[in-house]
Every structure is written in structure tokens, then in C-alpha cells.
Amino acid sequence: MAQSTTTTAATTASGAAQALNGEFLDLALAYADEDEPECEPRPEQKSLLPCTAGRKPSLSERRNVDLPYLRVVHEREREREQDAEATADSSPDQSSPFAPGLRRNSISMPSGINVLDLEALRLRHQMQAQDALHEESIADDATSSQGTPATTPCDTTLNTPDKGMGATTINFAATPNDEDSDDEFGNAKKRVYRDRFRNRRRASIAPLPALRLNSKEMLASDFDTHSLASNQASITSVNSLASLLREKMQAFPQLIRKKKRETKDYKIKIFVIIMFFIIIFLIGYAYIAYHQQVLTKSYFQKIKFNSVDRIFRILNQDDKEVISGQLGVTLGSDSAPFHCLEEQRRSDGSVCIEWNGVARLHMNFEDKGVFRCYTLQWQALTPGLLPTDCYELKRDNGLWFGGGITKGQEWSLSYANFDFMPYASGDSKVHQFGNGVKRYFINSIGVAMQVSERTPLQLGINRTENQFCLRAANDDFTFVNRLTALPQLDYKICTTEDMRSLHMLMTQQSLWDGLKEQDIQVLHSLLEEPVWRIPNQDLPDSLNETVICDYSESAIAMGLGHIVINEFWQENIGDFTVDRARFPTLKDTIDVLHRRGFKVVFTIQPFISTDSVNFKDAVRRKLLIYERHSERSIPALTRYKSCSSAGVLDITNNASVPWLLEKLQRLKDEYGVKSFYLDLGTGYNLPHYYQCRQPLDNPDMYARMLTASLEGEGLMAVSTASVVPKPPIFLSTPPANATWEGLRETLAAVLNYGVIGYPFVLPGAIGGDYLLERSLTKMVTFYSLGQPPLPDPELFIRWLQLATFLPAMQFSHLPSEYRSDLITRVAQEMKEVRQTVVIALLKKYLSPSMNEGLPLVRPLWMMDPHDPACLIVSDEFSVGEELIVAPILDAGREEREVYLPQGVWKDGIDGSLRKGSRWMHGYRVPKDKIAYFRKMPDNTRF
């Protein structure tokens, strides 16, 4: 704008208009947009202002109150006014009291409004009844606004006691027609109630934000409703609208800054709240950590144990935590620990901590150089307490191995999930664990556990809570013979940096002790030659001399080996004599087989059928296991394969072993048999209420004692074991169903048994041991299952390819039975690969296996325990450290993923060189081939 204007507020009219004779001086305020005509002042008007003839009534006249006035002074006019002020004192101009810049309408308040008794006025107004108006009567306001009132005035007196002023009279107009009238159709019009203090014009004016009256802040709308004098003024001129708009525009930046400031304050409040909670968390964490540090004590330098929470941690050589868990999970938190009394302590330097009357813990340390072993032993002191220790199942990507095969056939215990189950050998299709067990567990991060044989061990794995738990608990079968009054949990933990060397330490035992030259020859023959199992049906009559001779003639084309004759060589299980009705010239047949180069093996069992002639003799001699809580003359019976009722030799009876050895020696002398296959079943094949003359630690102890008693009698293999048998004895895998699942289970069993220290494993027959389309509800050994029908050709080929690289091969169905050129050609190729590649490696790593406990067939992590990929690969294996095998284990597949550890490897299919430490995706494996890779020297160049 060219010129800026400045608004100044004048003083109230109380200073310009004085009260005369108790009446207010009527100020006739001029309008800025009207000329002042010359006229004579009215006689009745006592005013110092010019007359207002021909003018509209001023705002003060209409309201009959003294109002302040507002002048708008321009900058140029301000200078002229200052010059005129000097002459104004000497000759005041009464005829022109206002400057020409006056606004026509301004926002004005009545004089003395601050002293009004608004509360009294509001109450009085509420008690007065409001008149009803017709909608048409609203037009009367227009008439009233033109200065020609058509109503009878209604006076209202306001009291202003504080200012010494008289009563102020304010006139309000009432509509002349208060009566209802009918509309043009004769209907009664609706009565309209209106606020008598607000006309149409004032209702259209926006209210002011607020007013302060009598030290109380009121909204403009409230003031309009309850006050007698409105706080609003009519805004009609362009100047007033522009002024109001200018004020709003000037206040807009302040409003924006206020909002920004409010937003900033909101963020500050959130930040303060977050910092408050962080500080509270840090304080709580520091408090807990401090108390744990105070309560945690260090034992043997590398053990951190909090005896209150029983948190147990073991550190490695670099003081890095390698295993942690909670000991005594079942103790509860109300028992306070203290050091044992002097008579409870041991002289071996162990630490003894006791929870009064509940349990006692002994901890000891054994230093083996780079290996550090810690022994823990819990003793329950109150009945019903089951000592339980739980450790982390997964830590730093480490996996737990060991324990043999489980019901779910998991490659690692870290993938299993089952509740506490007694750790004993059984049928993995029905029970939690398989036929080969050993209380040994190892973790890939360099931690191993070994549990005492005298502990009634129950094992539980909870993947949800990430726990691997050991518990000592007796039961009515597995650990029915309580070796202690209350259960004890005794085990050892060893740590080192190298998982492989730790495995060697935990499984190391010299298998050369007491080994004869003849045993070495048998061991080599099992590695070099196949095992031929005479096919049989589910009835004894299916086996005779003709079947044996015909089978041997067909098998000789594939090579020589051991011919295994099942238990049907005798009339009843437990006779230990040949059934002369079906084998009248068995001695001559065996001589023929020996001349051909075969070795004949008889299958024997410790079970004696109730139909056998030896059963009565054994009962009379009290050689059988008897019923618990009964006389020793009452034998405990069980069921085994084709025998529906049988007794079991009591191996703890000193007379039982000599009696059995006499029977076996008679067979050797009469038929020239030199080897036996000991079919023990599993621990669950013992009678449920078994009782031996001497208590057994667990059912697996029976198989251990019997195997040890017959080691010198030419045992070729056993069906179950809990310790590594003396070579050349092999451990058989569980009977496999003739399906693809059975093929995968065979590989899993061989690898898992190798992990727990069984280097010599005899897989089942190629193609499967039996065929059942339904799931089993009882153990396989409870059924008399014959040889399965001829398996699917593809399944037989893939099974044959896998068995070629295992420690031993066992046939039941011969490749010639298929009359297929493809199968015959594959069989010849696999025979050549085994003779030229595999057998040499098996013999090379035979001595390390017998000295260090390492298996012949190993999982990949034994080659490189620091390679994470080797830990998760479950369908590949190595023969020693120089051959990687990746078989096909699913139907219809001719390609697979292959991982090779570090090094340079030569492809056995096409002879190409492959670089290790990488995956090969989509590797093609034709139906007649198997993927295997031989390791080349490190300096080999492509």
C-alpha cells in the first residue's frame, strides 16, 4: 500500500461526556462517509457536538449509551494534526471535533459495561417469558433498523453501584403482534421463539473470540445470549473488513509458529518418556546382572555356577561360553544351597553342594591337556525327586549328534522333539531309539557328554524351549532294578576346540586287544566279500538243502562270501540241533560250500521255544529268566519272530553260558560251522516282568554280557548292542522295509551308528528285509516275516549303488533274478568300483578306526567340522577322508544337489575336476550311475 494507516483507540466516552443532572450526555457521533449539513441543534439535546439533523441515528443514540469512538489517522494527516494542536489550545474548534478519517461503524462497547451486574441481569432475563413470533414477523427488524420504530419501548434498568453512576436505561423493542395468526390455508402458524437481544443483522455477524467482563472471560456467543448489551458491532464498510482481514493475516504466522512449537513439544515429551523407560530397563538389567555376578561362583576356572538359580556355564580355553544350561530343574526355588558337611565330601577334590534334604551335587574336574572334562553327579535325597539337567539344544548354529537312531529318523538330535523316554535299545518304528545305542552325545561346537551306565537315563528333547535334557528316573521295565535307593544322575562333559579330536577322545578304545590273526582275516573277508542271506518264507518248511545249494550257485557269479542261514535250520528255536527231516545231508552240503569258497553262518538266539526239547531241560536246571516276585522255577515267557512262546536264557546264571557253549561246540564239530550270527532282538524283547539271578543295570546289559561271552566263538554280527563289540563282530542295522523310505533309513542308521562309535556296521539286505504296506504297531521281531517280493528295479539299482560304498554288502535277492541287462550291467560296474576303489579305502582306514574309534563311513562334518554346510548335509557321506558319495534316495530322480568340502575332487562319472567348498546345483546322475568324487592332491591344477 502507498500509505500505511495506524489505528488508535480513544479513551472511553466517560472522559468526553459528563453526566448532567443525573442523565447521560447523548453523544451524537458523526459518520465518516457522510457530510455534515448545517442545521440548528435540537433544543432537547445537550451536547457539545454538532447537530445531526438529516442524519441517521448514531450507534450511541440507538443504544442510548456512551460509546468509545475510533479514529483512523493517516500518516500525512498526523503531521497536519500535530501542527494544528498548537493553535487548538488558543482557539479550539468546537464545530469540528472529529477528523474526516472516522470509520462509519466500529466495534464498540457500552460505557460502564465492566460494572454491570451480569448475573442479576441473566437471572432476570431467564425469569421473563419470551414472546413467540411468527416467522413473518422477522421482517419487523428491517423496519426497526430504518429508525422508525414500530414497537412500544420496553425499559430495563441496569444497576452500576461501583462507579457511582445512576441507573442506565436500555430500550428493547417488542414486536407489536404477539398473537398467533393463521396462514393462507387457515392452519395455525408455528410459534417461533427468538432471543430478544439478537436481531437478524447481529445474527449474521461472526462473534468475537472472547471478552473479559468483571474479571471473567466469556465467549462472545455467551455474551450475546445472556447480556443486555451486545459485544458485537456491525461491520459494513470496506475499510473495517480490510482491517479485520489484515489482523487475521498478521496472526496467521503466529498460529503456524504455535503449531510448530506444539509439535516440537510433543516430540520432546515422547523422547523423554522413551528415555525414562530405557533408564528403568538399564537399571533393572544392571541390578539383575550384578546379583547374578555376585551369586555366580567360578569352579575349576572354567565353570560358572549360580547355586541359587542353578545356572551352569562352561567356558573354553578362550573364556568363551560353549555350553550353558540349568541344573536341578526339578528342585524348585525354595531350597537354599550350602556346602556339604565334612562327612559328605569326597577326597578327590570335587566340590559338594547340597540343597538341604532335597539333593546333593558333586562336581569334579579332569585336565587332559587340550581337553577339559567335568564330572557331575546328582544324588536325590528325598523320594519322588528326579534329578534333571537341561542344556541348550541349539547354540551358535551348533547341532547335537549321537544316541543312535531315533523314531523320527532325524539326522541330528537338534531336529528331534520328544518327551522323556527311557534310553534303551528297541525298534525305532515303535520305540524312541533303535537297536544300537550308546550313552554318548556330541555337539558341533566342541562339547561332548557321556552318561554313566549305572544311571537310569531318560532323554528328552524340547525344540520349543530349546532344551536337551537328561533325567534319572526308575520305571517298571527298563530300570526296574534300582541300583540305588534313590535315582542318581552321573555324567561327564568334555570340551575342546576341535570336534573331531573330541570325538576321538570320547570314543577312543583300542579294538586290537586280544585280536587273533583269524579274526583279522574274518574282518577283511567281511569288507571284501558280500554277505549272502538265504531267502526264506515265514514258515520253517520253506528252507531246505536244495534252496541253499541253488542259491549258492546263483551267487557265485557275483563273488564269494558268507552264506547266512536263518533260524529255520533247526526244527524249533532253541534246539541248537539241525532239523534232520529237512537237512538230512547238511554236513555234505556245507562241505561243498566250503570247497566253493563260501563260509557258512548259522543264526542263533538266546530264546528257547516252549516246544523245544531244551526248554524242559533249561527249566529243570533253572537256566531261564524267571518271573519277578515268583519262584525261580517259573520262567518268564516272551515272543520272538516265528516263536509265539519262548523262554530266555539267564546270562547271569553261571551255568547258562557253559550250557550254551556246549551246544554251539557240538554244531562246530558235527557240521564244520565256524561262524554264528547272534540274533538278540532288542532290550524290549525280554519278558516284561523279567528277573535275573543278578540284577541288570538295564535290559541292554543282557545283550552286552551275552555278546562278550560268545566273542571267542566266531560271532560274525549281532542284532543289537550298547557297547562296541570286539572285531570282527559287526552291528546290524534294523530290518528295513522294501521301500524308498527303507533305503533312506539304512543310510541314516549307518551314519548315526558311526557317530556313536560303531565303526563296523552291517546294512540290511539290498532291496529290503521285508515288505509291509501298513505301519507297525508292534516290533518287527514280533512277526515272522519272510523275504519280500522282488523289489522295484529302480529301487534295487539305487540300493545296490549305495551299498557298494558301505562297510559291508548283504544280498537276499540276486541281480540275476531280474533278467535285466541294465541291472546286470549296473551290478558288474558296482562290483568293479568296490574292488578297485572302495575296498582299498576301507582297508586303509581300518587301523585308524580301531585305534581312534572313527567310523569307516563318516558324515561330512567329520571331514571339516568348521564348515557349516557339512553339518546340515545328511544324504552324503565319506569313505575315510578321500571319497565323497552322493547317492540318489528318491524315486524317479536323476539329478540332485551336491556339496563338496574344501579341496580338489575328481568326478567319478565323467572324470572332471571339481573345486570344493561349494555346491553343485542340478548335478545330473543317470539311472545307472552314482555320484562319487575322489580327493586329489592339494597341488592339483585344473
Side-chain angles (χ1 to χ4, degrees):
M1 295 177 63
Q3 294 180 356
S4 62
T5 59
T6 304
T7 59
T8 59
T11 59
T12 60
S14 59
Q18 303 295 331
L20 300 175
N21 297 328
E23 297 180 356
F24 283 103
L25 181 63
D26 186 8
L27 295 178
L29 299 178
Y31 289 92
D33 56 351
E34 293 184 355
D35 297 331
E36 298 181 5
E38 295 181 1
C39 65
E40 296 295 334
R42 289 178 295 178
E44 68 275 11
Q45 186 176 20
K46 299 178 181 180
S47 173
L48 299 176
L49 299 175
C51 67
T52 59
R55 296 167 60 97
K56 293 180 181 180
S58 66
L59 183 60
S60 62
E61 290 177 348
R62 293 198 305 269
R63 293 188 177 181
N64 197 23
V65 293
D66 296 335
L67 297 177
Y69 61 91
L70 185 68
R71 293 184 61 190
V72 179
V73 182
H74 295 277
E75 295 294 338
R76 294 181 179 179
E77 293 177 357
R78 182 184 299 273
E79 297 178 359
R80 292 195 300 267
E81 289 177 359
Q82 292 177 355
D83 296 338
E85 285 179 358
T87 58
D89 295 336
S90 57
S91 59
D93 188 3
Q94 299 294 335
S95 63
S96 180
F98 298 103
L102 289 177
R103 297 175 60 182
R104 179 174 179 177
N105 286 330
S106 59
I107 300 175
S108 307
M109 294 297 298
S111 172
I113 193 65
N114 289 334
V115 297
L116 293 179
D117 190 353
L118 297 180
E119 187 65 22
L121 181 60
R122 184 181 298 107
L123 294 175
R124 182 175 178 181
H125 170 66
Q126 292 176 354
M127 289 186 296
Q128 291 180 358
Q130 297 184 3
D131 296 333
L133 301 178
H134 291 294
E135 295 178 356
E136 290 82 350
S137 63
I138 300 175
D140 294 343
D141 290 339
T143 306
S144 174
S145 62
Q146 294 176 1
T148 57
T151 62
T152 304
C154 178
D155 297 337
T156 301
T157 304
L158 303 180
N159 297 327
T160 57
D162 295 338
K163 298 297 180 179
M165 300 175 64
T168 302
T169 302
I170 302 177
N171 294 327
F172 296 93
T175 59
N177 187 12
D178 293 336
E179 299 295 331
D180 295 338
S181 61
D182 298 337
D183 58 7
E184 59 182 346
F185 300 102
N187 297 325
K189 291 185 177 180
K190 184 178 179 181
R191 298 175 63 87
V192 179
Y193 293 95
R194 293 188 55 202
D195 189 351
R196 65 179 71 243
F197 298 106
R198 193 169 184 84
N199 55 25
R200 176 179 292 181
R201 181 183 181 190
R202 293 183 181 180
S204 65
I205 301 174
L208 292 176
L211 296 175
R212 176 169 293 276
L213 304 176
N214 294 337
S215 301
K216 296 181 180 180
E217 185 174 353
M218 298 180 60
L219 294 176
S221 58
D222 296 337
F223 184 81
D224 262 349
T225 303
H226 301 293
S227 64
L228 296 178
S230 174
N231 64 336
Q232 298 294 329
S234 300
I235 303 176
T236 58
S237 65
V238 177
N239 293 336
S240 61
L241 292 175
S243 176
L244 181 60
L245 181 60
R246 187 182 305 110
E247 293 176 0
K248 296 295 184 181
M249 293 299 295
Q250 291 175 355
F252 185 72
Q254 297 179 359
L255 181 62
I256 296 177
R257 288 193 296 268
K258 182 178 180 181
K259 291 184 177 179
K260 290 183 178 181
R261 184 165 56 252
E262 291 177 354
T263 304
K264 186 176 181 180
D265 294 343
Y266 178 75
K267 294 181 179 179
I268 292 176
K269 291 179 181 178
I270 294 178
F271 176 75
V272 172
I273 293 174
I274 294 175
M275 290 301 299
F276 173 77
F277 283 107
I278 291 176
I279 292 173
I280 294 298
F281 171 77
L282 292 177
I283 293 175
Y285 178 80
Y287 176 82
I288 296 174
Y290 171 76
H291 280 270
Q292 286 185 348
Q293 184 67 24
V294 170
L295 296 175
T296 301
K297 295 184 179 180
S298 178
Y299 299 94
F300 311 114
Q301 297 180 354
K302 299 301 181 180
I303 290 182
K304 301 294 183 181
F305 181 59
N306 187 329
S307 58
V308 176
D309 297 333
R310 298 180 300 281
I311 302 300
F312 180 83
R313 298 182 295 129
I314 295 181
L315 310 179
N316 60 9
Q317 298 290 345
D318 300 329
D319 292 335
K320 179 182 178 182
E321 183 178 310
V322 293
I323 186 173
S324 67
Q326 184 179 12
L327 307 185
V329 176
T330 57
L331 259 64
S333 58
D334 54 347
S335 300
F338 60 88
H339 290 284
C340 300
L341 300 178
E342 189 65 30
E343 58 269 17
Q344 302 295 342
R345 299 179 184 178
R346 299 175 181 175
S347 58
D348 56 358
S350 61
V351 176
C352 182
I353 303 175
E354 180 174 335
W355 285 258
N356 190 16
V358 179
R360 186 181 298 119
L361 173 65
H362 293 271
M363 293 187 297
N364 205 348
F365 166 71
E366 183 180 1
D367 192 357
K368 296 184 178 182
V370 295
F371 305 99
R372 301 177 67 87
C373 296
Y374 309 90
T375 302
L376 291 88
Q377 184 184 73
W378 278 101
Q379 294 178 344
L381 302 180
T382 181
L385 177 67
L386 304 178
T388 305
D389 293 346
C390 292
Y391 296 91
E392 288 181 331
L393 184 61
K394 292 183 179 180
R395 178 185 180 88
D396 297 335
N397 297 323
L399 300 178
W400 281 100
F401 297 92
I405 58 176
T406 58
K407 188 175 183 179
Q409 296 290 331
E410 291 86 5
W411 161 238
S412 168
L413 288 177
S414 298
Y415 301 140
N417 190 21
F418 53 88
D419 201 359
F420 286 98
M421 297 297 294
Y423 189 72
S425 63
D427 189 340
S428 59
K429 296 178 176 58
V430 179
H431 306 104
Q432 186 58 54
F433 304 100
N435 63 319
V437 294
K438 192 175 183 181
R439 301 185 174 200
Y440 164 67
F441 312 93
I442 186 170
N443 193 287
S444 59
I445 61 177
V447 180
M449 291 185 183
Q450 196 167 37
V451 185
S452 172
E453 293 291 338
R454 294 182 60 84
T455 296
L457 177 63
Q458 289 191 358
L459 187 66
I461 295 178
N462 191 328
R463 284 192 300 177
T464 304
E465 299 181 2
N466 192 34
Q467 289 183 343
F468 167 68
C469 299
L470 309 174
R471 170 177 290 179
N474 296 312
D475 56 14
D476 295 333
F477 174 75
T478 311
F479 306 111
V480 65
N481 298 318
R482 291 165 171 77
L483 304 181
T484 57
L486 296 173
Q488 293 185 4
L489 179 60
D490 189 358
Y491 61 99
K492 178 173 62 175
I493 300 178
C494 294
T495 64
T496 190
E497 296 298 326
D498 188 0
M499 180 183 180
R500 175 177 172 175
S501 54
L502 178 63
H503 176 76
M504 294 167 53
L505 170 71
M506 302 297 289
T507 60
Q508 183 178 11
Q509 53 178 331
S510 179
L511 300 179
W512 295 102
D513 296 343
L515 205 60
K516 301 177 182 179
E517 184 65 26
Q518 183 180 358
D519 298 332
I520 298 296
Q521 294 176 0
V522 173
L523 181 59
H524 284 180
S525 66
L526 288 171
L527 296 177
E528 298 171 0
E529 301 171 348
V531 174
W532 308 98
R533 193 174 68 190
I534 302 296
N536 66 283
Q537 301 302 320
D538 54 353
L539 296 177
D541 295 339
S542 61
L543 182 64
N544 52 49
E545 291 183 14
T546 303
V547 172
I548 297 175
C549 291
D550 294 342
Y551 187 83
S552 62
E553 291 178 359
S554 301
I556 198 171
M558 289 290 298
L560 304 176
H562 297 74
I563 294 182
V564 179
I565 303 175
N566 62 14
E567 66 273 9
F568 291 156
W569 59 269
Q570 50 192 344
E571 181 180 1
N572 298 297
I573 294 178
D575 286 347
F576 297 107
T577 57
V578 176
D579 184 3
R580 296 184 180 275
R582 290 182 289 119
F583 302 98
T585 60
L586 183 59
K587 184 179 184 305
D588 297 336
T589 302
I590 293 176
D591 291 340
V592 172
L593 294 177
H594 285 168
R595 288 195 297 268
R596 291 178 176 177
F598 290 101
K599 304 172 183 64
V600 179
V601 180
F602 278 2
T603 300
I604 59 174
Q605 298 100 351
F607 305 98
I608 301 177
S609 173
T610 55
D611 296 331
S612 173
V613 294
N614 289 329
F615 181 78
K616 294 181 180 179
D617 183 47
V619 171
R620 181 178 57 85
R621 295 170 178 257
K622 298 181 180 181
L623 302 178
L624 303 179
I625 294 176
Y626 59 93
E627 286 280 351
R628 194 179 310 147
H629 310 302
S630 66
E631 296 292 335
R632 290 183 57 201
S633 58
I634 302 176
L637 302 181
T638 187
R639 177 180 179 179
Y640 189 75
K641 291 187 176 181
S642 62
C643 183
S644 59
S645 177
V648 185
L649 281 174
D650 185 358
I651 197 65
T652 64
N653 190 338
N654 295 330
S656 297
V657 174
W659 181 86
L660 178 60
L661 293 177
E662 180 185 354
K663 303 290 184 181
L664 297 180
Q665 187 63 39
R666 189 179 303 170
L667 288 173
K668 290 181 179 181
D669 297 340
E670 186 174 355
Y671 295 94
V673 177
K674 299 180 179 179
S675 300
F676 298 97
Y677 175 79
L678 182 58
D679 189 2
L680 293 163
T682 65
Y684 285 92
N685 286 116
L686 292 179
H688 186 76
Y689 298 101
Y690 71 92
Q691 182 66 52
C692 298
R693 174 169 293 190
Q694 299 177 9
L696 299 177
D697 295 349
N698 53 69
D700 293 326
M701 189 175 180
Y702 179 88
R704 186 189 318 160
M705 296 176 64
L706 182 57
T707 302
S709 301
L710 301 179
E711 284 179 348
E713 300 302 320
L715 292 182
M716 183 199 73
V718 294
S719 63
T720 185
S722 58
V723 295
V724 179
K726 183 180 178 180
I729 303 175
F730 277 58
L731 171 64
S732 296
T733 61
N737 200 2
T739 60
W740 289 96
E741 182 181 1
L743 174 61
R744 292 188 290 269
E745 291 176 355
T746 299
L747 175 59
V750 173
L751 294 180
N752 278 283
Y753 288 160
V755 169
I756 60 178
Y758 294 96
F760 309 117
V761 181
L762 176 64
I766 296 174
D769 301 292
Y770 64 92
L771 178 61
L772 282 179
E773 300 294 341
R774 57 185 175 84
S775 59
L776 294 175
T777 58
K778 296 182 180 180
M779 293 185 295
V780 176
T781 53
F782 277 1
Y783 302 91
S784 179
L785 300 175
Q787 183 189 38
L790 202 62
D792 176 73
E794 181 185 4
L795 176 62
F796 186 85
I797 289 175
R798 296 302 188 188
W799 210 312
L800 175 62
Q801 292 171 347
L802 170 65
T804 301
F805 297 89
L806 299 181
M809 298 179 67
Q810 183 175 184
F811 286 91
S812 179
H813 284 290
L814 299 176
S816 58
E817 296 180 30
Y818 286 90
R819 303 182 184 278
S820 169
D821 295 338
L822 175 63
I823 295 180
T824 302
R825 177 169 56 84
V826 171
Q828 291 296 330
E829 290 180 358
M830 292 298 100
K831 177 182 178 182
E832 182 179 357
V833 170
R834 184 170 182 86
Q835 291 178 348
T836 59
V837 178
V838 180
I839 293 177
L841 291 175
L842 293 176
K843 290 184 176 180
K844 178 179 180 179
Y845 289 95
L846 178 62
S847 295
S849 295
M850 298 184 66
N851 289 329
E852 302 172 356
L854 292 175
L856 297 175
V857 175
R858 309 170 184 178
L860 293 189
W861 61 261
M862 283 193 176
M863 297 187 64
D864 189 359
H866 302 290
D867 190 345
C870 293
L871 293 173
I872 62 175
V873 176
S874 59
D875 57 353
E876 297 181 34
F877 61 92
S878 69
V879 180
E881 295 182 354
E882 301 180 18
L883 185 67
I884 297 294
V885 183
I888 297 294
L889 303 176
D890 297 288
R893 291 186 57 185
E894 292 189 3
E895 64 177 23
R896 59 159 295 160
E897 306 294 310
V898 178
Y899 181 80
L900 296 177
Q902 61 181 353
V904 179
W905 302 86
K906 183 178 181 179
D907 196 322
I909 295 180
D910 58 11
S912 61
L913 297 179
R914 306 280 184 173
K915 189 175 182 180
S917 297
R918 62 181 59 185
W919 286 91
M920 293 186 296
H921 303 285
Y923 181 82
R924 293 285 302 170
V925 184
K927 187 177 181 179
D928 59 339
K929 302 293 182 180
I930 182 173
Y932 68 96
F933 307 86
R934 300 192 64 178
K935 191 172 184 180
M936 306 300 293
D938 295 337
N939 58 356
T940 302
R941 296 184 179 181
F942 289 93

